[in-house]
Amino acid sequence: MTDDVVVSGGLDHPEDAGTGWTRRRFLKAGGVTLVAAAHGWSVLDLLRGNSSIFATPATFTRRLVRADDQVLLDLEFVGLDLDEATGQLVASGGGPFLMRMVFPSQHTAENAFGPNGTPNPDNTRGHIDAPATRLVFSVVPPLDFDVDTLLDLAAYSLEIAGSGNPGPDFTAIRVPAGLTITPIGNAGFRALTQPVTRGDVTETWMARLFDPTGTPEIEARNNGSSSDTAVGARRQPDAQNRDDIVALTDPTNPDYAPALAHRLWLSLAGAFADIEGNWDAGAISRWVQRINGGRDVHIEIAERGYLAPFGHPASWVTVQERQLKADSGGGLSYVLVEETYLIVTQPTVEFPDSAQSPFNPDDGRGFPFASVTVDSPPWAPVDKRAIVNCNVDEAWGVTDAPGSNTDLILTYTATDHVGNDPISFDLPARYVDWNFATGSGGSGLVAHYQNGVTEAGRDVPEIGGALVAWAPESTAGSGLTSKQTHRILFSLGSPTGSPTDAQLRAENRPAFFPVVETARIADDTLNTVSGAPIEPFDVTFPPRWLTDGLDPVGNPDLAFLQLDQPQPFSFGEDAKALMVVEMDASVLNQTLGAGPDITVGAPEWDPAEAFGDVARFLGGVLLQELFNVVAEIDFDLGVNVPTVLTEVDGDKITATLLYEPTDVNGIPAFGLSAPGSVSVKVITCAWLTGGKAPTSTIDLTVRGFTLEVPPFVPLVELEFEQLRVVEPSDGPTDFDLDLRTWRFAGILELLQPIVNLAKTTGKNFAIDITPEALDLSVEIPLPTINLGVVSIRNFSVGLGGEFPFGSGGSNGDGLPEVRLNVGKKPSPVTVTVMGFTGKFYMIVEVSPEYGLRRVAVSVEMSMKLFGLDLIIVEASVTLGISAFFELKDGNVTFIGAVWIEGKINVLGIAEVTMRLQATVKYKEIAQNVKITGTIIWSASVGPLSDSGSLPIGGTTVSLGDGAGSGFRGQALRSGEPAPGLLSASGTDGFGQRMTQDDWNEYTGAFA
């Protein structure tokens, strides 16, 4: 301690009269001295800077000095006079009668070293001395004025302030420095009246606190220093701790508990103390301070707080021990060394439903877990570090060792609300101080933590694809809310309803709750429905889930997760584009599994956008365009927004989304005009047991509309009463077609008279829809004509078209084509003139892309050379010739045949037939021509038959190198599509060898 000067005027040592007594000089003194104070104020005034002038004035003062056992006390007597004659203290008025006993500073607070610090013996550590300590006793005069009587402290009643900072007439003990404490209850002081010597050692005199009923209890009444700047950052208890100790030992505090003084002795050498405080609630849970000779030897402060983000109760424990530590001068210094520890005081926190936790924001729907357990960290020194946007005094990161910047990693285990296997993940430790986890500090903490939560990825745990139920199940066991979760970003949310500290304390909750800011998941629903794996994607909670939960009024599709970026999922791809629906899944829900965001009452919900730019039916018409002709929607609940119905039948769950807008207009759009009404129904079925895969069905109905096919270059207009397409995920496509009429359009409009004739006569008018294409046909047959020896049968004119969906169609290229036929291959036009018979049919196919794509002509003539018809025998010999010519996409095929056939029939019982046929075939494909011939014979007698064939050749001729030879010329060799028979492309192909006039004359001959 320093050589503080005290007032003295030693009568027994006249040489020191009028001089100051130093502690060093005091130690050299002997005997007992009571020294009168020569001033107008009390000794206490001088020691405290005249702060006691408002106290009851002292009648007189004395200093008690006894060198043998180091007694140095300043005594003030209030309401008492010294009767010199009797040597007694006597009353000088009506009281009170007090003896104030003032001790020099009893404690020095100093700054500690960190575990890795090195003391410098040449530098003084930051420190501060406590002010003088004051014991005030009530005495009953008369009283002997001698040392034995004055030091018999147990004989006097200790004056204790009832509450607040003790005034000058009450006991005020300044131990430790910064705090003013006072004993309570039955506590008092006792001391030896005479020195105690054993051998050559005399015990230092001390005033000892005692309580006859047990361990003395104390209260901290004041924190005399709101700053630790003069000492340093490692002063303990620090300014905030001292405020908290004062608050916790205040009887008006609901968390009140007095501290215990296992030892509190006052002496000239300083205090000897062993103080302990324990509190069940409040900012500090434990305070221990041991002092020897006015210097700290052990300090322990356990600050109460919470781990963020889940709110696990925890303690930040600071321990200071006085140790011999090697200093920079090569010696040893006896200094305080500080270490800090993190202790989890409640490993498991639970998050019950809203009825049990009324302050959980959004009734807890922003957090998927019912409980979270943290593994306690090892008992080892740690350190604090600042985290982004948070003051280090409110929330800090915890490092794994003193001086380290590596986070202490904690392992958490969480259980969701539906009972999936618990998941484990790691997070860096984040500690929140009590004063910022409660009351008004919580709101600021939440804002700061939200702004800095990501910390460059520190606070984003990897979950590893474990199943997490992101919402309670509307139907138990459905599994619809459990998603493979890969990553979660946790944050903090403020309590609902502005609860008081007392209300939060009753719930054992801080002023924050965990919430999920974003998560990354994978979803089997989207993978199954789309038919292709979808990479994990980021999700958040949709606002209507947070506000309405499982209430179908505000959350009709029971959506519980919202995708940051919509993911497409398709229906109908297996149906070869008869109807393909690709919806943009913006939410995951408990009705469809996934679907558009159908926020109730929100005009930004756009059905055209929800169904994406791929969803189409009949191969070419976008559902977007279908919805674009719907009039402006009134977003009244249940009218023009989707409705969702969930039904449970045993273990089968059926969820149906129906969108059926009522108002339409007639604005043409992309091949679609004037729709009467549109409805889309999406039905999802799932089974709780049996392992059966879920199924989905799209049901699209369009009524009263005109469809132009194909959409870009219309060739046909279809007027529908109704078209309904049903596309299941596990079966064939079905449709219900009610066609009002159809007509040719565009360049085919000139053929409309034939269609009109067919409609008028009601002859063979048909439409056929397959998954590959739309096929239209009209056939006009003429009746059989018999004119004597001439007959004409099977004469018909046909007109039709094929309009593929996607890449379908009979040609596999997705291009539409129109057909014109005279006669048909199964029933060609047949003309009979006496013994001559001719058969004929012709097919012409035209494509807007290629022009003439196919011409096929077949001609057959036969003549009966010999005929015999007797009663028992009938015989004939027939000679025939036929030719077939086809030009298809520039490839030429010609087949010519001649045959002779004889028949003999005896009594109609036995028939003998013999036929001999010679055939030659010419086929040009690409740049090669192949010519083959075949002789075929056959014979039959009744049920017995035999046949055979003999090839006559098989010559392949190359069409050349593109210099002008061959049938196709340069057009083929250029790699462009075949120009067709009548194309002018090429150099000397087939089109150049037969002119337009020649071809007209040739085909006209057959007509």
Side-chain angles (χ1 to χ4, degrees):
M1 290 185 179
T2 58
D3 292 337
D4 296 328
V5 175
V6 294
V7 177
S8 148
L11 296 180
D12 291 350
H13 301 277
E15 70 273 19
D16 290 324
T19 65
W21 275 73
T22 66
R23 292 183 180 180
R24 188 171 293 112
R25 179 170 293 179
F26 165 81
L27 294 176
K28 297 178 180 178
V32 178
T33 305
L34 283 170
V35 184
H39 54 75
W41 297 332
S42 69
V43 174
L44 184 61
D45 292 333
L46 296 179
L47 294 177
R48 291 183 49 81
N50 199 25
S51 64
S52 65
I53 59 175
F54 301 106
T56 305
T59 308
F60 72 99
T61 63
R62 290 289 187 271
R63 168 165 290 174
L64 175 60
V65 179
R66 188 168 66 192
D68 293 345
D69 52 358
Q70 301 184 17
V71 176
L72 177 59
L73 298 171
D74 287 303
L75 305 177
E76 291 184 340
F77 300 95
V78 177
L80 299 170
D81 275 333
L82 177 60
D83 185 341
E84 297 289 349
T86 62
Q88 288 185 319
L89 295 173
V90 296
S92 65
F97 308 114
L98 304 177
M99 179 177 63
R100 301 176 184 142
M101 184 174 290
V102 181
F103 292 76
S105 175
Q106 293 294 296
H107 180 251
T108 299
E110 63 184 273
N111 198 27
F113 284 88
N116 301 321
T118 300
N120 183 347
D122 297 328
N123 292 335
T124 302
R125 297 292 294 163
H127 69 282
I128 189 170
D129 290 339
T133 284
R134 176 179 69 246
L135 302 183
V136 180
F137 299 97
S138 176
V139 300
V140 178
L143 187 70
D144 291 340
F145 188 63
D146 56 44
V147 173
D148 288 345
T149 302
L150 295 178
L151 295 184
D152 188 10
L153 304 183
Y156 309 127
S157 175
L158 191 65
E159 287 293 303
I160 299 173
S163 62
N165 190 20
D169 288 343
F170 298 97
T171 297
I173 303 172
R174 273 68 179 223
V175 177
L179 287 178
T180 298
I181 66 174
T182 183
I184 61 173
N186 298 315
F189 276 87
R190 57 191 173 192
L192 298 175
T193 60
Q194 294 296 322
V196 176
T197 302
R198 294 179 178 84
D200 57 354
V201 176
T202 300
E203 179 180 332
T204 299
W205 180 89
M206 298 181 185
R208 293 173 167 87
L209 180 67
F210 80 102
D211 188 326
T213 62
T215 303
E217 296 180 343
I218 59 174
E219 293 174 353
R221 297 294 182 83
N222 182 55
N223 176 15
S225 174
S226 60
S227 172
D228 296 322
T229 304
V231 178
R234 295 186 185 273
R235 176 183 178 181
Q236 292 296 338
D238 62 24
Q240 181 62 58
N241 297 152
R242 296 193 298 273
D243 281 342
D244 294 334
I245 292 171
V246 171
L248 289 169
T249 57
D250 181 352
T252 63
N253 189 328
D255 300 325
Y256 166 79
L260 300 177
H262 300 289
R263 178 172 62 247
L264 181 54
W265 303 343
L266 308 177
S267 74
L268 175 64
F272 293 80
D274 183 356
I275 300 172
E276 177 185 6
N278 294 281
W279 295 273
D280 294 332
I284 293 178
S285 61
R286 181 170 170 81
W287 167 43
V288 174
Q289 190 154 358
R290 300 189 182 104
I291 302 169
N292 282 347
R295 307 300 290 267
D296 293 312
V297 293
H298 176 88
I299 303 174
E300 182 180 326
I301 299 288
E303 300 172 80
R304 186 174 278 112
Y306 295 90
L307 295 180
F310 306 117
H312 289 86
S315 287
W316 186 259
V317 180
T318 301
V319 178
Q320 292 184 354
E321 294 274 1
R322 190 166 296 277
Q323 301 175 11
L324 280 172
K325 196 172 180 67
D327 57 38
S328 58
L332 295 175
S333 294
Y334 200 37
V335 295
L336 284 176
V337 177
E338 178 180 285
E339 291 181 339
T340 51
Y341 301 85
L342 178 65
I343 300 175
V344 177
T345 56
Q346 181 181 322
T348 299
V349 291
E350 297 182 348
F351 302 92
D353 58 31
S354 58
Q356 299 171 283
S357 183
F359 309 119
N360 204 340
D362 301 313
D363 292 336
R365 288 186 287 270
F367 185 68
F369 299 113
S371 67
V372 180
T373 300
V374 61
D375 292 348
S376 295
W379 178 258
V382 296
D383 208 345
K384 64 172 66 173
R385 71 168 185 85
I387 57 177
V388 174
N389 287 333
C390 287
N391 297 324
V392 75
D393 290 332
E394 62 183 34
W396 56 81
V398 181
T399 67
D400 60 356
S404 169
N405 197 41
T406 302
D407 284 309
L408 174 67
I409 301 300
L410 301 179
T411 297
Y412 292 88
T413 302
T415 302
D416 61 28
H417 288 280
V418 303
N420 287 316
D421 290 339
I423 65 169
S424 294
F425 53 89
D426 293 337
L427 272 177
R430 298 285 183 263
Y431 182 84
V432 181
D433 182 77
W434 169 273
N435 293 291
F436 285 88
T438 58
S440 60
S443 59
L445 166 71
V446 169
H448 294 167
Y449 198 93
Q450 287 174 342
N451 292 336
V453 67
T454 55
E455 266 258 284
R458 290 178 186 260
D459 295 350
V460 186
E462 295 291 338
I463 309 300
L467 281 180
V468 173
W470 287 92
E473 295 172 344
S474 60
T475 302
S478 68
L480 291 175
T481 65
S482 296
K483 306 300 176 185
Q484 294 178 351
T485 303
H486 294 270
R487 184 179 298 174
I488 302 176
L489 173 58
F490 296 104
S491 186
L492 304 184
S494 297
T496 297
S498 301
T500 65
D501 284 348
Q503 289 174 315
L504 287 172
R505 189 174 301 161
E507 298 290 326
N508 196 25
R509 290 297 315 171
F512 64 84
F513 283 81
V515 295
V516 171
E517 190 163 308
T518 61
R520 180 163 296 175
I521 69 169
D523 183 39
D524 287 337
T525 301
L526 290 178
N527 291 339
T528 300
V529 174
S530 66
I534 294 178
E535 292 297 320
F537 48 87
D538 292 339
V539 295
T540 57
F541 288 111
R544 55 195 168 99
W545 162 252
L546 295 176
T547 57
D548 296 285
L550 297 177
D551 182 357
V553 174
N555 188 14
D557 59 345
L558 306 184
F560 59 93
L561 285 177
Q562 182 168 322
L563 284 65
D564 283 2
Q565 296 293 328
Q567 296 286 337
F569 68 98
S570 301
F571 298 91
E573 292 183 345
D574 294 339
K576 301 179 181 176
L578 176 65
M579 184 178 77
V580 176
V581 174
E582 178 173 290
M583 297 176 66
D584 282 341
S586 297
V587 297
L588 301 181
N589 55 46
Q590 296 198 56
T591 55
L592 309 175
D597 186 3
I598 55 172
T599 302
V600 174
E604 64 269 16
W605 187 80
D606 184 355
E609 181 180 346
F611 282 93
D613 57 3
V614 177
R616 63 187 67 239
F617 73 104
L618 295 181
V621 179
L622 284 171
L623 287 183
Q624 274 189 346
E625 301 299 338
L626 215 158
F627 288 120
N628 281 337
V629 301
V630 177
E632 183 176 355
I633 297 175
D634 296 327
F635 284 87
D636 295 330
L637 181 62
V639 178
N640 283 319
V641 296
T643 58
V644 180
L645 175 65
T646 302
E647 298 177 315
V648 180
D649 182 9
D651 67 343
K652 180 182 179 181
I653 301 175
T654 302
T656 302
L657 178 145
L658 176 63
Y659 177 61
E660 194 167 24
T662 57
D663 301 325
V664 297
N665 60 26
I667 301 175
F670 195 67
L672 182 74
S673 60
S677 65
V678 180
S679 69
V680 176
K681 184 185 296 184
V682 184
I683 305 170
T684 299
C685 297
W687 286 262
L688 303 180
T689 60
K692 187 174 181 179
T695 62
S696 298
T697 300
I698 299 290
D699 187 338
L700 170 69
T701 301
V702 186
R703 302 176 186 89
F705 72 100
T706 300
L707 182 66
E708 297 173 346
V709 181
F712 292 111
V713 185
L715 300 177
V716 177
E717 291 181 355
L718 305 173
E719 290 187 10
F720 287 92
E721 292 288 349
Q722 173 178 294
L723 172 63
R724 182 184 180 198
V725 184
V726 179
E727 178 70 68
S729 61
D730 59 347
T733 301
D734 190 16
F735 65 91
D736 179 13
L737 178 66
D738 187 357
L739 182 67
R740 183 185 304 154
T741 185
W742 68 275
R743 57 186 170 271
F744 281 115
I747 62 175
L748 299 184
E749 193 170 359
L750 57 88
L751 301 175
Q752 188 60 33
I754 300 176
V755 177
N756 294 339
L757 177 61
K759 293 177 181 177
T760 302
T761 59
K763 300 294 185 180
N764 298 329
F765 171 60
I767 179 171
D768 185 25
I769 299 180
T770 68
E772 288 80 15
L774 168 68
D775 197 283
L776 306 172
S777 65
V778 58
E779 195 76 22
I780 305 175
L782 296 181
T784 299
I785 301 175
N786 291 306
L787 300 172
V789 296
V790 178
S791 69
I792 302 174
R793 293 177 290 113
N794 300 331
F795 188 90
S796 64
V797 177
L799 191 61
E802 183 186 57
F803 304 94
F805 302 143
S807 60
S810 58
N811 294 312
D813 54 13
L815 298 176
E817 63 182 27
V818 179
R819 299 186 304 272
L820 173 66
N821 65 281
V822 178
K824 294 184 289 186
K825 184 176 181 179
S827 54
V829 179
T830 302
V831 180
T832 302
V833 182
M834 298 183 66
F836 292 89
T837 301
K839 297 181 179 181
F840 166 81
Y841 73 86
M842 180 178 69
I843 301 173
V844 179
E845 296 177 357
V846 179
S847 168
E849 178 77 16
Y850 283 102
L852 187 63
R853 296 199 63 170
R854 180 178 182 236
V855 174
V857 180
S858 176
V859 179
E860 178 182 321
M861 293 186 296
S862 63
M863 180 181 66
K864 187 180 292 187
L865 298 179
F866 170 78
L868 176 64
D869 189 0
L870 302 177
I871 296 176
I872 61 173
V873 176
E874 181 182 349
S876 66
V877 176
T878 301
L879 176 66
I881 184 172
S882 67
F884 172 78
F885 172 83
E886 181 184 53
L887 175 65
K888 184 176 182 180
D889 293 334
N891 297 320
V892 177
T893 300
F894 175 80
I895 302 174
V898 60
W899 77 91
I900 187 170
E901 182 180 72
K903 293 183 180 180
I904 300 176
N905 190 309
V906 180
L907 297 176
I909 300 175
E911 182 178 86
V912 178
T913 301
M914 298 188 65
R915 180 185 176 95
L916 180 65
Q917 176 177 319
T919 302
V920 62
K921 182 177 183 180
Y922 170 95
K923 191 172 185 66
E924 176 190 343
I925 300 178
Q927 299 181 9
N928 297 314
V929 171
K930 186 174 184 180
I931 303 175
T932 59
T934 309
I935 295 177
I936 303 172
W937 60 269
S938 63
S940 63
V941 179
L944 304 177
S945 65
D946 192 13
S947 64
S949 64
L950 176 66
I952 315 176
T955 304
T956 300
V957 179
S958 173
L959 296 182
D961 59 1
S965 61
F967 291 147
R968 297 179 59 84
Q970 185 174 348
L972 282 175
R973 286 182 291 278
S974 68
E976 297 296 326
L981 179 65
L982 301 181
S983 173
S985 301
T987 53
D988 66 343
F990 192 85
Q992 282 67 43
R993 296 169 57 191
M994 178 172 284
T995 66
Q996 179 74 56
D997 292 339
D998 292 337
W999 176 252
N1000 291 342
E1001 181 180 358
Y1002 175 74
T1003 56
F1006 290 102

